[in-house]
PDB file of all heavy atoms in Angstrom:
ATOM      1  N   SER A1428      26.797 104.145  46.046  1.00  0.00           N
ATOM      2  CA  SER A1428      25.912 104.340  44.900  1.00  0.00           C
ATOM      3  C   SER A1428      25.918 103.178  43.915  1.00  0.00           C
ATOM      4  O   SER A1428      25.040 103.091  43.062  1.00  0.00           O
ATOM      5  CB  SER A1428      26.293 105.634  44.171  1.00  0.00           C
ATOM      6  OG  SER A1428      27.628 105.557  43.705  1.00  0.00           O
ATOM      7  N   ASP A1429      26.873 102.269  44.015  1.00  0.00           N
ATOM      8  CA  ASP A1429      26.909 101.124  43.103  1.00  0.00           C
ATOM      9  C   ASP A1429      26.176  99.906  43.647  1.00  0.00           C
ATOM     10  O   ASP A1429      26.244  98.824  43.089  1.00  0.00           O
ATOM     11  CB  ASP A1429      28.352 100.755  42.755  1.00  0.00           C
ATOM     12  CG  ASP A1429      29.145 100.274  43.960  1.00  0.00           C
ATOM     13  OD1 ASP A1429      28.616 100.303  45.086  1.00  0.00           O
ATOM     14  OD2 ASP A1429      30.303  99.869  43.757  1.00  0.00           O
ATOM     15  N   GLY A1430      25.461 100.062  44.765  1.00  0.00           N
ATOM     16  CA  GLY A1430      24.685  98.964  45.327  1.00  0.00           C
ATOM     17  C   GLY A1430      25.384  98.191  46.427  1.00  0.00           C
ATOM     18  O   GLY A1430      24.818  97.263  46.988  1.00  0.00           O
ATOM     19  N   THR A1431      26.599  98.559  46.759  1.00  0.00           N
ATOM     20  CA  THR A1431      27.319  97.892  47.837  1.00  0.00           C
ATOM     21  C   THR A1431      26.773  98.372  49.173  1.00  0.00           C
ATOM     22  O   THR A1431      26.530  99.560  49.364  1.00  0.00           O
ATOM     23  CB  THR A1431      28.829  98.206  47.760  1.00  0.00           C
ATOM     24  OG1 THR A1431      29.332  97.737  46.516  1.00  0.00           O
ATOM     25  CG2 THR A1431      29.591  97.549  48.894  1.00  0.00           C
ATOM     26  N   LYS A1432      26.573  97.412  50.090  1.00  0.00           N
ATOM     27  CA  LYS A1432      26.087  97.770  51.424  1.00  0.00           C
ATOM     28  C   LYS A1432      26.753  96.863  52.453  1.00  0.00           C
ATOM     29  O   LYS A1432      26.836  95.654  52.255  1.00  0.00           O
ATOM     30  CB  LYS A1432      24.569  97.630  51.517  1.00  0.00           C
ATOM     31  CG  LYS A1432      24.028  98.086  52.852  1.00  0.00           C
ATOM     32  CD  LYS A1432      22.518  98.075  52.889  1.00  0.00           C
ATOM     33  CE  LYS A1432      22.052  98.559  54.250  1.00  0.00           C
ATOM     34  NZ  LYS A1432      20.599  98.524  54.384  1.00  0.00           N
ATOM     35  N   ILE A1433      27.207  97.461  53.534  1.00  0.00           N
ATOM     36  CA  ILE A1433      27.811  96.736  54.649  1.00  0.00           C
ATOM     37  C   ILE A1433      27.100  97.190  55.916  1.00  0.00           C
ATOM     38  O   ILE A1433      26.969  98.386  56.165  1.00  0.00           O
ATOM     39  CB  ILE A1433      29.317  97.038  54.756  1.00  0.00           C
ATOM     40  CG1 ILE A1433      30.031  96.673  53.457  1.00  0.00           C
ATOM     41  CG2 ILE A1433      29.928  96.301  55.945  1.00  0.00           C
ATOM     42  CD1 ILE A1433      31.451  97.190  53.372  1.00  0.00           C
ATOM     43  N   ASP A1434      26.633  96.229  56.692  1.00  0.00           N
ATOM     44  CA  ASP A1434      25.878  96.538  57.897  1.00  0.00           C
ATOM     45  C   ASP A1434      26.318  95.550  58.982  1.00  0.00           C
ATOM     46  O   ASP A1434      26.325  94.346  58.736  1.00  0.00           O
ATOM     47  CB  ASP A1434      24.392  96.378  57.612  1.00  0.00           C
ATOM     48  CG  ASP A1434      23.502  96.856  58.732  1.00  0.00           C
ATOM     49  OD1 ASP A1434      24.005  97.246  59.791  1.00  0.00           O
ATOM     50  OD2 ASP A1434      22.268  96.820  58.540  1.00  0.00           O
ATOM     51  N   GLN A1435      26.712  96.048  60.155  1.00  0.00           N
ATOM     52  CA  GLN A1435      27.110  95.134  61.220  1.00  0.00           C
ATOM     53  C   GLN A1435      26.800  95.724  62.589  1.00  0.00           C
ATOM     54  O   GLN A1435      26.792  96.936  62.761  1.00  0.00           O
ATOM     55  CB  GLN A1435      28.579  94.769  61.125  1.00  0.00           C
ATOM     56  CG  GLN A1435      29.540  95.900  61.390  1.00  0.00           C
ATOM     57  CD  GLN A1435      30.984  95.416  61.368  1.00  0.00           C
ATOM     58  OE1 GLN A1435      31.265  94.241  61.180  1.00  0.00           O
ATOM     59  NE2 GLN A1435      31.904  96.327  61.563  1.00  0.00           N
ATOM     60  N   GLN A1436      26.526  94.823  63.527  1.00  0.00           N
ATOM     61  CA  GLN A1436      26.292  95.182  64.910  1.00  0.00           C
ATOM     62  C   GLN A1436      27.109  94.227  65.763  1.00  0.00           C
ATOM     63  O   GLN A1436      27.090  93.016  65.528  1.00  0.00           O
ATOM     64  CB  GLN A1436      24.815  95.041  65.314  1.00  0.00           C
ATOM     65  CG  GLN A1436      23.845  95.830  64.473  1.00  0.00           C
ATOM     66  CD  GLN A1436      23.501  95.151  63.160  1.00  0.00           C
ATOM     67  OE1 GLN A1436      23.356  93.948  63.105  1.00  0.00           O
ATOM     68  NE2 GLN A1436      23.391  95.930  62.103  1.00  0.00           N
ATOM     69  N   GLY A1437      27.792  94.763  66.747  1.00  0.00           N
ATOM     70  CA  GLY A1437      28.602  93.926  67.619  1.00  0.00           C
ATOM     71  C   GLY A1437      28.333  94.227  69.072  1.00  0.00           C
ATOM     72  O   GLY A1437      27.893  95.317  69.432  1.00  0.00           O
ATOM     73  N   VAL A1438      28.587  93.224  69.888  1.00  0.00           N
ATOM     74  CA  VAL A1438      28.397  93.364  71.327  1.00  0.00           C
ATOM     75  C   VAL A1438      29.429  92.492  72.041  1.00  0.00           C
ATOM     76  O   VAL A1438      29.833  91.458  71.527  1.00  0.00           O
ATOM     77  CB  VAL A1438      26.954  92.968  71.734  1.00  0.00           C
ATOM     78  CG1 VAL A1438      26.668  91.507  71.470  1.00  0.00           C
ATOM     79  CG2 VAL A1438      26.670  93.319  73.169  1.00  0.00           C
ATOM     80  N   LEU A1439      29.874  92.959  73.198  1.00  0.00           N
ATOM     81  CA  LEU A1439      30.734  92.141  74.039  1.00  0.00           C
ATOM     82  C   LEU A1439      29.843  91.333  74.963  1.00  0.00           C
ATOM     83  O   LEU A1439      28.899  91.864  75.547  1.00  0.00           O
ATOM     84  CB  LEU A1439      31.672  93.013  74.879  1.00  0.00           C
ATOM     85  CG  LEU A1439      32.777  93.733  74.131  1.00  0.00           C
ATOM     86  CD1 LEU A1439      33.580  94.592  75.108  1.00  0.00           C
ATOM     87  CD2 LEU A1439      33.688  92.754  73.430  1.00  0.00           C
ATOM     88  N   LYS A1440      30.139  90.040  75.089  1.00  0.00           N
ATOM     89  CA  LYS A1440      29.358  89.220  76.011  1.00  0.00           C
ATOM     90  C   LYS A1440      30.281  88.678  77.095  1.00  0.00           C
ATOM     91  O   LYS A1440      31.493  88.575  76.894  1.00  0.00           O
ATOM     92  CB  LYS A1440      28.627  88.096  75.279  1.00  0.00           C
ATOM     93  CG  LYS A1440      29.487  86.993  74.753  1.00  0.00           C
ATOM     94  CD  LYS A1440      28.620  85.916  74.143  1.00  0.00           C
ATOM     95  CE  LYS A1440      29.403  84.614  74.049  1.00  0.00           C
ATOM     96  NZ  LYS A1440      28.599  83.529  73.573  1.00  0.00           N
ATOM     97  N   ASP A1441      29.702  88.353  78.217  1.00  0.00           N
ATOM     98  CA  ASP A1441      30.432  87.855  79.381  1.00  0.00           C
ATOM     99  C   ASP A1441      31.558  88.818  79.778  1.00  0.00           C
ATOM    100  O   ASP A1441      32.680  88.399  80.088  1.00  0.00           O
ATOM    101  CB  ASP A1441      30.995  86.455  79.125  1.00  0.00           C
ATOM    102  CG  ASP A1441      29.914  85.437  78.826  1.00  0.00           C
ATOM    103  OD1 ASP A1441      28.816  85.574  79.401  1.00  0.00           O
ATOM    104  OD2 ASP A1441      30.157  84.507  78.041  1.00  0.00           O
ATOM    105  N   VAL A1442      31.244  90.110  79.771  1.00  0.00           N
ATOM    106  CA  VAL A1442      32.234  91.145  80.087  1.00  0.00           C
ATOM    107  C   VAL A1442      32.764  90.947  81.506  1.00  0.00           C
ATOM    108  O   VAL A1442      32.009  90.686  82.433  1.00  0.00           O
ATOM    109  CB  VAL A1442      31.611  92.550  79.944  1.00  0.00           C
ATOM    110  CG1 VAL A1442      32.600  93.628  80.344  1.00  0.00           C
ATOM    111  CG2 VAL A1442      31.124  92.759  78.527  1.00  0.00           C
ATOM    112  N   GLY A1443      34.080  91.035  81.623  1.00  0.00           N
ATOM    113  CA  GLY A1443      34.716  90.921  82.923  1.00  0.00           C
ATOM    114  C   GLY A1443      35.022  89.507  83.367  1.00  0.00           C
ATOM    115  O   GLY A1443      35.555  89.300  84.443  1.00  0.00           O
ATOM    116  N   THR A1444      34.695  88.517  82.529  1.00  0.00           N
ATOM    117  CA  THR A1444      35.007  87.127  82.863  1.00  0.00           C
ATOM    118  C   THR A1444      36.099  86.623  81.934  1.00  0.00           C
ATOM    119  O   THR A1444      36.457  87.286  80.962  1.00  0.00           O
ATOM    120  CB  THR A1444      33.769  86.222  82.709  1.00  0.00           C
ATOM    121  OG1 THR A1444      33.473  86.060  81.315  1.00  0.00           O
ATOM    122  CG2 THR A1444      32.559  86.805  83.425  1.00  0.00           C
ATOM    123  N   GLU A1445      36.593  85.442  82.204  1.00  0.00           N
ATOM    124  CA  GLU A1445      37.608  84.886  81.312  1.00  0.00           C
ATOM    125  C   GLU A1445      37.003  84.399  79.996  1.00  0.00           C
ATOM    126  O   GLU A1445      37.712  84.063  79.071  1.00  0.00           O
ATOM    127  CB  GLU A1445      38.389  83.760  81.991  1.00  0.00           C
ATOM    128  CG  GLU A1445      37.597  82.488  82.238  1.00  0.00           C
ATOM    129  CD  GLU A1445      38.448  81.402  82.871  1.00  0.00           C
ATOM    130  OE1 GLU A1445      39.064  81.665  83.920  1.00  0.00           O
ATOM    131  OE2 GLU A1445      38.493  80.307  82.302  1.00  0.00           O
ATOM    132  N   HIS A1446      35.674  84.398  79.907  1.00  0.00           N
ATOM    133  CA  HIS A1446      34.984  83.978  78.684  1.00  0.00           C
ATOM    134  C   HIS A1446      34.467  85.174  77.874  1.00  0.00           C
ATOM    135  O   HIS A1446      33.605  85.018  77.015  1.00  0.00           O
ATOM    136  CB  HIS A1446      33.821  83.047  79.027  1.00  0.00           C
ATOM    137  CG  HIS A1446      34.253  81.819  79.752  1.00  0.00           C
ATOM    138  ND1 HIS A1446      34.980  80.822  79.165  1.00  0.00           N
ATOM    139  CD2 HIS A1446      34.088  81.451  81.050  1.00  0.00           C
ATOM    140  CE1 HIS A1446      35.233  79.876  80.044  1.00  0.00           C
ATOM    141  NE2 HIS A1446      34.712  80.238  81.198  1.00  0.00           N
ATOM    142  N   GLU A1447      34.999  86.356  78.159  1.00  0.00           N
ATOM    143  CA  GLU A1447      34.579  87.552  77.429  1.00  0.00           C
ATOM    144  C   GLU A1447      34.840  87.353  75.948  1.00  0.00           C
ATOM    145  O   GLU A1447      35.886  86.854  75.543  1.00  0.00           O
ATOM    146  CB  GLU A1447      35.364  88.751  77.938  1.00  0.00           C
ATOM    147  CG  GLU A1447      34.944  90.060  77.327  1.00  0.00           C
ATOM    148  CD  GLU A1447      35.644  91.237  77.979  1.00  0.00           C
ATOM    149  OE1 GLU A1447      35.558  91.392  79.212  1.00  0.00           O
ATOM    150  OE2 GLU A1447      36.284  91.995  77.227  1.00  0.00           O
ATOM    151  N   ALA A1448      33.858  87.716  75.136  1.00  0.00           N
ATOM    152  CA  ALA A1448      34.001  87.540  73.692  1.00  0.00           C
ATOM    153  C   ALA A1448      33.172  88.589  72.962  1.00  0.00           C
ATOM    154  O   ALA A1448      32.188  89.094  73.487  1.00  0.00           O
ATOM    155  CB  ALA A1448      33.535  86.146  73.271  1.00  0.00           C
ATOM    156  N   ALA A1449      33.597  88.894  71.761  1.00  0.00           N
ATOM    157  CA  ALA A1449      32.834  89.788  70.894  1.00  0.00           C
ATOM    158  C   ALA A1449      31.963  88.944  69.979  1.00  0.00           C
ATOM    159  O   ALA A1449      32.390  87.902  69.480  1.00  0.00           O
ATOM    160  CB  ALA A1449      33.770  90.653  70.075  1.00  0.00           C
ATOM    161  N   VAL A1450      30.739  89.395  69.766  1.00  0.00           N
ATOM    162  CA  VAL A1450      29.816  88.731  68.851  1.00  0.00           C
ATOM    163  C   VAL A1450      29.350  89.778  67.846  1.00  0.00           C
ATOM    164  O   VAL A1450      28.844  90.828  68.235  1.00  0.00           O
ATOM    165  CB  VAL A1450      28.599  88.143  69.593  1.00  0.00           C
ATOM    166  CG1 VAL A1450      27.640  87.488  68.614  1.00  0.00           C
ATOM    167  CG2 VAL A1450      29.047  87.161  70.662  1.00  0.00           C
ATOM    168  N   VAL A1451      29.550  89.490  66.572  1.00  0.00           N
ATOM    169  CA  VAL A1451      29.161  90.427  65.522  1.00  0.00           C
ATOM    170  C   VAL A1451      28.160  89.743  64.592  1.00  0.00           C
ATOM    171  O   VAL A1451      28.383  88.627  64.133  1.00  0.00           O
ATOM    172  CB  VAL A1451      30.382  90.894  64.698  1.00  0.00           C
ATOM    173  CG1 VAL A1451      29.954  91.862  63.616  1.00  0.00           C
ATOM    174  CG2 VAL A1451      31.421  91.514  65.610  1.00  0.00           C
ATOM    175  N   HIS A1452      27.052  90.411  64.349  1.00  0.00           N
ATOM    176  CA  HIS A1452      26.063  89.982  63.363  1.00  0.00           C
ATOM    177  C   HIS A1452      26.087  91.025  62.264  1.00  0.00           C
ATOM    178  O   HIS A1452      26.089  92.225  62.548  1.00  0.00           O
ATOM    179  CB  HIS A1452      24.654  89.926  63.976  1.00  0.00           C
ATOM    180  CG  HIS A1452      24.497  88.884  65.025  1.00  0.00           C
ATOM    181  ND1 HIS A1452      24.022  87.627  64.742  1.00  0.00           N
ATOM    182  CD2 HIS A1452      24.779  88.894  66.349  1.00  0.00           C
ATOM    183  CE1 HIS A1452      24.002  86.909  65.842  1.00  0.00           C
ATOM    184  NE2 HIS A1452      24.464  87.657  66.842  1.00  0.00           N
ATOM    185  N   GLY A1453      26.115  90.586  61.028  1.00  0.00           N
ATOM    186  CA  GLY A1453      26.162  91.565  59.965  1.00  0.00           C
ATOM    187  C   GLY A1453      25.840  90.987  58.611  1.00  0.00           C
ATOM    188  O   GLY A1453      25.517  89.802  58.463  1.00  0.00           O
ATOM    189  N   SER A1454      25.948  91.844  57.631  1.00  0.00           N
ATOM    190  CA  SER A1454      25.740  91.434  56.242  1.00  0.00           C
ATOM    191  C   SER A1454      26.500  92.393  55.336  1.00  0.00           C
ATOM    192  O   SER A1454      26.802  93.519  55.720  1.00  0.00           O
ATOM    193  CB  SER A1454      24.255  91.448  55.887  1.00  0.00           C
ATOM    194  OG  SER A1454      23.749  92.768  55.924  1.00  0.00           O
ATOM    195  N   TYR A1455      26.819  91.889  54.168  1.00  0.00           N
ATOM    196  CA  TYR A1455      27.358  92.750  53.123  1.00  0.00           C
ATOM    197  C   TYR A1455      26.809  92.270  51.801  1.00  0.00           C
ATOM    198  O   TYR A1455      26.531  91.091  51.598  1.00  0.00           O
ATOM    199  CB  TYR A1455      28.885  92.819  53.134  1.00  0.00           C
ATOM    200  CG  TYR A1455      29.614  91.504  53.093  1.00  0.00           C
ATOM    201  CD1 TYR A1455      30.052  90.961  51.889  1.00  0.00           C
ATOM    202  CD2 TYR A1455      29.902  90.809  54.255  1.00  0.00           C
ATOM    203  CE1 TYR A1455      30.740  89.766  51.846  1.00  0.00           C
ATOM    204  CE2 TYR A1455      30.590  89.620  54.236  1.00  0.00           C
ATOM    205  CZ  TYR A1455      31.013  89.094  53.025  1.00  0.00           C
ATOM    206  OH  TYR A1455      31.692  87.909  52.995  1.00  0.00           O
ATOM    207  N   SER A1456      26.577  93.206  50.910  1.00  0.00           N
ATOM    208  CA  SER A1456      26.026  92.870  49.602  1.00  0.00           C
ATOM    209  C   SER A1456      26.655  93.752  48.542  1.00  0.00           C
ATOM    210  O   SER A1456      27.173  94.826  48.840  1.00  0.00           O
ATOM    211  CB  SER A1456      24.499  93.020  49.600  1.00  0.00           C
ATOM    212  OG  SER A1456      24.127  94.330  49.936  1.00  0.00           O
ATOM    213  N   TRP A1457      26.632  93.258  47.325  1.00  0.00           N
ATOM    214  CA  TRP A1457      27.172  93.986  46.192  1.00  0.00           C
ATOM    215  C   TRP A1457      26.430  93.546  44.940  1.00  0.00           C
ATOM    216  O   TRP A1457      25.755  92.527  44.923  1.00  0.00           O
ATOM    217  CB  TRP A1457      28.675  93.746  46.040  1.00  0.00           C
ATOM    218  CG  TRP A1457      29.033  92.345  45.642  1.00  0.00           C
ATOM    219  CD1 TRP A1457      29.270  91.897  44.379  1.00  0.00           C
ATOM    220  CD2 TRP A1457      29.155  91.201  46.487  1.00  0.00           C
ATOM    221  NE1 TRP A1457      29.541  90.546  44.387  1.00  0.00           N
ATOM    222  CE2 TRP A1457      29.485  90.106  45.682  1.00  0.00           C
ATOM    223  CE3 TRP A1457      29.012  91.001  47.861  1.00  0.00           C
ATOM    224  CZ2 TRP A1457      29.666  88.831  46.197  1.00  0.00           C
ATOM    225  CZ3 TRP A1457      29.207  89.733  48.369  1.00  0.00           C
ATOM    226  CH2 TRP A1457      29.532  88.673  47.549  1.00  0.00           C
ATOM    227  N   VAL A1458      26.556  94.332  43.895  1.00  0.00           N
ATOM    228  CA  VAL A1458      25.920  94.032  42.608  1.00  0.00           C
ATOM    229  C   VAL A1458      27.023  93.726  41.608  1.00  0.00           C
ATOM    230  O   VAL A1458      27.969  94.508  41.454  1.00  0.00           O
ATOM    231  CB  VAL A1458      25.068  95.225  42.125  1.00  0.00           C
ATOM    232  CG1 VAL A1458      24.478  94.945  40.760  1.00  0.00           C
ATOM    233  CG2 VAL A1458      23.977  95.545  43.146  1.00  0.00           C
ATOM    234  N   ASP A1459      26.904  92.572  40.943  1.00  0.00           N
ATOM    235  CA  ASP A1459      27.879  92.197  39.919  1.00  0.00           C
ATOM    236  C   ASP A1459      27.774  93.177  38.757  1.00  0.00           C
ATOM    237  O   ASP A1459      26.695  93.396  38.206  1.00  0.00           O
ATOM    238  CB  ASP A1459      27.615  90.772  39.437  1.00  0.00           C
ATOM    239  CG  ASP A1459      28.649  90.286  38.456  1.00  0.00           C
ATOM    240  OD1 ASP A1459      28.625  90.759  37.295  1.00  0.00           O
ATOM    241  OD2 ASP A1459      29.484  89.440  38.826  1.00  0.00           O
ATOM    242  N   GLU A1460      28.892  93.780  38.392  1.00  0.00           N
ATOM    243  CA  GLU A1460      28.887  94.796  37.330  1.00  0.00           C
ATOM    244  C   GLU A1460      28.476  94.238  35.976  1.00  0.00           C
ATOM    245  O   GLU A1460      27.861  94.931  35.174  1.00  0.00           O
ATOM    246  CB  GLU A1460      30.267  95.430  37.212  1.00  0.00           C
ATOM    247  CG  GLU A1460      30.646  96.269  38.402  1.00  0.00           C
ATOM    248  CD  GLU A1460      32.053  96.829  38.274  1.00  0.00           C
ATOM    249  OE1 GLU A1460      32.779  96.470  37.329  1.00  0.00           O
ATOM    250  OE2 GLU A1460      32.416  97.643  39.132  1.00  0.00           O
ATOM    251  N   LYS A1461      28.819  92.992  35.693  1.00  0.00           N
ATOM    252  CA  LYS A1461      28.533  92.414  34.380  1.00  0.00           C
ATOM    253  C   LYS A1461      27.109  91.900  34.260  1.00  0.00           C
ATOM    254  O   LYS A1461      26.474  92.082  33.232  1.00  0.00           O
ATOM    255  CB  LYS A1461      29.530  91.297  34.078  1.00  0.00           C
ATOM    256  CG  LYS A1461      30.944  91.808  33.922  1.00  0.00           C
ATOM    257  CD  LYS A1461      31.910  90.694  33.645  1.00  0.00           C
ATOM    258  CE  LYS A1461      33.324  91.274  33.561  1.00  0.00           C
ATOM    259  NZ  LYS A1461      34.330  90.242  33.468  1.00  0.00           N
ATOM    260  N   THR A1462      26.617  91.227  35.311  1.00  0.00           N
ATOM    261  CA  THR A1462      25.291  90.606  35.223  1.00  0.00           C
ATOM    262  C   THR A1462      24.192  91.418  35.892  1.00  0.00           C
ATOM    263  O   THR A1462      23.013  91.180  35.631  1.00  0.00           O
ATOM    264  CB  THR A1462      25.312  89.213  35.874  1.00  0.00           C
ATOM    265  OG1 THR A1462      25.549  89.364  37.286  1.00  0.00           O
ATOM    266  CG2 THR A1462      26.372  88.317  35.255  1.00  0.00           C
ATOM    267  N   GLY A1463      24.570  92.334  36.787  1.00  0.00           N
ATOM    268  CA  GLY A1463      23.577  93.096  37.527  1.00  0.00           C
ATOM    269  C   GLY A1463      22.966  92.310  38.678  1.00  0.00           C
ATOM    270  O   GLY A1463      22.070  92.794  39.362  1.00  0.00           O
ATOM    271  N   GLU A1464      23.453  91.089  38.903  1.00  0.00           N
ATOM    272  CA  GLU A1464      22.923  90.250  39.973  1.00  0.00           C
ATOM    273  C   GLU A1464      23.425  90.744  41.329  1.00  0.00           C
ATOM    274  O   GLU A1464      24.590  91.090  41.487  1.00  0.00           O
ATOM    275  CB  GLU A1464      23.363  88.805  39.769  1.00  0.00           C
ATOM    276  CG  GLU A1464      22.803  87.836  40.774  1.00  0.00           C
ATOM    277  CD  GLU A1464      23.224  86.395  40.494  1.00  0.00           C
ATOM    278  OE1 GLU A1464      23.971  86.131  39.536  1.00  0.00           O
ATOM    279  OE2 GLU A1464      22.792  85.531  41.280  1.00  0.00           O
ATOM    280  N   LYS A1465      22.517  90.764  42.318  1.00  0.00           N
ATOM    281  CA  LYS A1465      22.884  91.202  43.663  1.00  0.00           C
ATOM    282  C   LYS A1465      23.237  89.982  44.510  1.00  0.00           C
ATOM    283  O   LYS A1465      22.520  88.985  44.509  1.00  0.00           O
ATOM    284  CB  LYS A1465      21.723  91.949  44.314  1.00  0.00           C
ATOM    285  CG  LYS A1465      22.053  92.476  45.685  1.00  0.00           C
ATOM    286  CD  LYS A1465      20.904  93.289  46.262  1.00  0.00           C
ATOM    287  CE  LYS A1465      21.280  93.831  47.622  1.00  0.00           C
ATOM    288  NZ  LYS A1465      20.238  94.690  48.163  1.00  0.00           N
ATOM    289  N   PHE A1466      24.339  90.056  45.210  1.00  0.00           N
ATOM    290  CA  PHE A1466      24.798  89.004  46.105  1.00  0.00           C
ATOM    291  C   PHE A1466      24.787  89.538  47.526  1.00  0.00           C
ATOM    292  O   PHE A1466      25.189  90.684  47.766  1.00  0.00           O
ATOM    293  CB  PHE A1466      26.224  88.565  45.748  1.00  0.00           C
ATOM    294  CG  PHE A1466      26.332  87.920  44.408  1.00  0.00           C
ATOM    295  CD1 PHE A1466      26.656  88.671  43.292  1.00  0.00           C
ATOM    296  CD2 PHE A1466      26.098  86.560  44.255  1.00  0.00           C
ATOM    297  CE1 PHE A1466      26.755  88.076  42.041  1.00  0.00           C
ATOM    298  CE2 PHE A1466      26.198  85.956  43.016  1.00  0.00           C
ATOM    299  CZ  PHE A1466      26.525  86.718  41.904  1.00  0.00           C
ATOM    300  N   THR A1467      24.332  88.718  48.453  1.00  0.00           N
ATOM    301  CA  THR A1467      24.292  89.117  49.859  1.00  0.00           C
ATOM    302  C   THR A1467      24.851  88.000  50.722  1.00  0.00           C
ATOM    303  O   THR A1467      24.525  86.836  50.525  1.00  0.00           O
ATOM    304  CB  THR A1467      22.852  89.433  50.308  1.00  0.00           C
ATOM    305  OG1 THR A1467      22.350  90.505  49.505  1.00  0.00           O
ATOM    306  CG2 THR A1467      22.795  89.840  51.763  1.00  0.00           C
ATOM    307  N   VAL A1468      25.688  88.378  51.655  1.00  0.00           N
ATOM    308  CA  VAL A1468      26.227  87.453  52.645  1.00  0.00           C
ATOM    309  C   VAL A1468      25.811  87.967  54.014  1.00  0.00           C
ATOM    310  O   VAL A1468      26.022  89.136  54.330  1.00  0.00           O
ATOM    311  CB  VAL A1468      27.773  87.376  52.569  1.00  0.00           C
ATOM    312  CG1 VAL A1468      28.321  86.514  53.693  1.00  0.00           C
ATOM    313  CG2 VAL A1468      28.220  86.855  51.218  1.00  0.00           C
ATOM    314  N   THR A1469      25.179  87.111  54.808  1.00  0.00           N
ATOM    315  CA  THR A1469      24.911  87.425  56.201  1.00  0.00           C
ATOM    316  C   THR A1469      25.872  86.584  57.036  1.00  0.00           C
ATOM    317  O   THR A1469      26.284  85.501  56.608  1.00  0.00           O
ATOM    318  CB  THR A1469      23.455  87.116  56.593  1.00  0.00           C
ATOM    319  OG1 THR A1469      23.189  85.744  56.350  1.00  0.00           O
ATOM    320  CG2 THR A1469      22.485  87.976  55.821  1.00  0.00           C
TER     321      THR A1469
END
């Protein structure tokens, strides 16, 4: 309710190989309590 949001999606790639890795795309944002400015990081 304070404007904070976290959103992420992940997937395993190259499953079953020695190069198997997780890849996550996401973002998080929040609102500065003093200024009301919204910050977002992708």
Side-chain angles (χ1 to χ4, degrees):
S1428 60
D1429 65 355
T1431 299
K1432 184 174 181 182
I1433 302 168
D1434 188 356
Q1435 67 176 359
Q1436 303 81 39
V1438 64
L1439 290 178
K1440 71 176 200 176
D1441 300 326
V1442 177
T1444 72
E1445 69 178 54
H1446 301 291
E1447 184 173 304
V1450 179
V1451 180
H1452 294 266
S1454 66
Y1455 53 95
S1456 59
W1457 68 96
V1458 177
D1459 184 287
E1460 292 177 353
K1461 294 179 182 173
T1462 66
E1464 183 178 1
K1465 182 176 181 176
F1466 295 93
T1467 300
V1468 174
T1469 58

